[in-house]
Amino acid sequence: MNIPLVIDLDGTLIHTDMLHESTLRLVRDAPLQLLRLPFLLARGKAVLKRHIAQRSSFDPAALPYNQPLLEWLQSQRAAGRKLVLCTATDATIAQAIADHLGLFDEVIASDGSTNVAGAHKAQALRERFGQGGFDYAGNAAPDLPVWAQARKAIVVNGNAALVQKAQGIAEVEHVFPPQPAGISTLRRMLRVHQWLKNLLLFVPLLAAHQLGNGPAWLALLLAFASFSLCASSVYIANDLLDLESDRLHPRKRLRPFASGQMPVWQGVVFAPLLLLASLLLATFVGGQFLPWLLAYFVLTCAYSWGLKRLVLVDCLTLALLYTLRIVAGAAAVGQALSFWLLAFSVFLFLSLAFVKRYAELEVQVLSGKQKIHGRGYHTTDAPIVQTMGIVSGYASVLVLALYLNSDAVLRLYRAPQVIWGAVPVMLFWVSWMWLQAQRGQMHDDPLVFAVKDRASLAAGVAFVAIIAAGAVGWPW
């Protein structure tokens, strides 16, 4: 007898929840719609799902499918078995996914009046196929009533406790284990490696030669922790709002939310908690640090919400976000910023922002695409982006060279002539970064590339050694 195989969607066939993702897209594209959702929910989940589905679009090809399960389903279909997609997701979304995969003979889903979940799903399948007339693949506790009506159970992405419960009410035919998730996944969600950027907070203190200022170091350590938590909060929000674009990128598709290793709802919880912890730490820093932290947060949110889709504005915003770290560091210790440091920072970080965008354009060129998804750039823009980035990098070196002729250098350095050695070092590093980008060897984040690249690390050591030698004078 050819027993139909019924498959759940959210958390089973795909490593995500379509209601959560659709809601995020709706809030991103039409924020005011968020005010209507509680009233729609009061009319029932099915009504809410239909409203959201009709107002948010998605690409079925970009979803994080459960590949082991998908391959098994393909073998079952090849053997002539009837496959049915049965889900609490709205029918318009479920049908689009079914049409994309071309695997399913039938789709049963929420229709705007009935929410096909839990007991309702069990009843619908019993009426359609009869008691024990189908096998069912699910992933969570709400699937237990369905397994109770099924002939056999297939447990997907479930823990040991769920498997045990399923075995108590049905014969478990297959178990597809969940994706591994642990400290490494949490670390990647927080993007801990990006905290390196927050070392820029210490630049004003170092530039002013205040290395022995103990209270300033304590304030900056608190500022570093606060900025890092704030940055992680924004990174999570950015990943949630940029899921589809990340999934179309060869490397970003492996991020925790894009790949489905971490559910979207956890990101929605984590982001505000991290922000709250960041603001709490900021109150202990003192000075004008908190207003600058809030400015960074607002500008980063604006970037995630829409500025990153605007040509050139996105790179200028990234440069400002880097520079804001330096400004915040100065505010944390009540130190005035020099014109030279700000000018050097803006031009250098603008160059790095263009490096980032150029590297992304090169990836799209190799993929045969004409445009970066979610950005305003075409692949044909790569040469002009490269030109603007190189010019910006060399402009930062020019500012450095002009600074070396200022009165501030004579006041701060015992051997100011030694500092001129920093100019060729910077020229080398800027040129090296762009050469690597041209060769297609640049990481999505230039600073991450720099801390792993031997030539960049050597240039950094040389730069620090030259500055130190100029500050203490000749050793002989």
Side-chain angles (χ1 to χ4, degrees), residues 4 6 11 39 47 88 126 133 144 163 184 199 206 237 278 329-330 359 368 409 427 449:
V6 182
F39 300 99
V47 175
R126 185 178 65 249
L144 291 171
V163 174
S184 174
L199 292 175
L206 300 177
S278 170
V409 172
L427 282 172
F449 171 84

Side-chain angles (χ1 to χ4, degrees), residues 98-272:
D99 292 341
H100 166 70
L101 293 175
L103 279 177
F104 299 100
D105 301 285
E106 187 177 347
V107 175
I108 302 173
S110 299
D111 58 5
S113 58
T114 302
N115 186 41
V116 184
H120 288 131
K121 181 183 289 188
Q123 179 182 351
L125 291 175
R126 185 178 65 249
E127 292 175 354
R128 177 69 180 83
F129 301 110
Q131 176 80 32
F134 61 96
D135 296 342
Y136 179 72
N139 72 295
D143 294 314
L144 291 171
V146 186
W147 280 323
Q149 301 295 324
R151 185 191 68 147
K152 292 183 179 180
I154 297 94
V155 182
V156 184
N157 293 332
N159 55 30
L162 181 65
V163 174
Q164 187 175 5
K165 290 179 181 179
Q167 289 172 335
I169 57 177
E171 177 187 346
V172 176
E173 180 180 4
H174 287 288
V175 175
F176 290 88
Q179 295 186 100
I183 296 299
S184 174
T185 306
L186 180 63
R187 176 178 54 78
R188 290 190 294 117
M189 179 193 73
L190 296 175
R191 294 205 215 171
V192 173
H193 64 280
Q194 299 281 10
W195 292 0
L196 289 171
K197 297 176 182 178
N198 299 326
L199 292 175
L200 292 170
L201 290 162
F202 295 89
V203 168
L205 187 69
L206 300 177
H209 297 192
Q210 298 291 318
L211 301 184
N213 190 335
W217 279 103
L218 178 59
L220 286 175
L221 287 173
L222 287 173
F224 177 84
S226 175
F227 233 89
S228 297
L229 294 177
C230 180
S232 290
S233 171
V234 176
Y235 286 137
I236 290 173
N238 181 72
D239 287 351
L240 293 177
L241 295 174
D242 220 15
L243 285 173
E244 197 164 280
S245 295
D246 285 351
R247 287 168 181 162
L248 295 174
H249 192 280
R251 289 186 293 269
K252 293 180 182 180
R253 64 183 178 83
L254 300 177
R255 287 177 174 173
F257 295 115
S259 64
Q261 281 186 293
M262 294 201 74
V264 166
W265 69 265
Q266 288 188 9
V268 175
V269 172
F270 265 110

Side-chain angles (χ1 to χ4, degrees), residues 377-458:
Y377 294 88
H378 298 271
T379 52
T380 53
D381 296 329
I384 188 63
V385 169
Q386 182 184 46
T387 301
M388 291 186 292
I390 294 172
V391 170
S392 299
Y394 287 164
S396 71
V397 181
L398 178 60
V399 171
L400 175 62
L402 293 173
Y403 165 70
L404 297 180
N405 197 41
S406 68
D407 293 337
V409 172
L410 298 176
R411 185 175 65 254
L412 291 173
Y413 296 93
R414 294 183 180 179
Q417 64 273 23
V418 176
I419 308 299
W420 277 97
V423 173
V425 171
M426 284 300 301
L427 282 172
F428 165 80
W429 185 67
V430 170
S431 304
W432 174 258
M433 293 289 283
W434 276 102
L435 181 62
Q436 298 310 302
Q438 171 65 28
R439 293 176 175 178
Q441 298 177 4
M442 180 57 59
H443 187 274
D444 297 326
D445 192 313
L447 288 185
V448 173
F449 171 84
V451 298
K452 296 180 179 180
D453 176 56
R454 291 183 179 181
S456 296
L457 291 174

Side-chain angles (χ1 to χ4, degrees), residues 300-310 313-314 374:
T300 310
C301 288
Y303 175 80
S304 298
W305 213 273
L307 294 183
K308 65 183 177 183
R309 296 177 177 83
L310 302 180
V313 173
D314 60 333

Side-chain angles (χ1 to χ4, degrees), residues 312-343:
L312 300 181
V313 173
D314 60 333
C315 291
L316 288 168
T317 304
L318 286 175
L320 287 176
L321 288 173
Y322 280 117
T323 306
L324 270 176
R325 289 172 166 92
I326 295 177
V327 175
V333 295
Q335 183 177 314
L337 277 171
S338 73
F339 161 81
W340 297 108
L341 180 58
L342 287 176

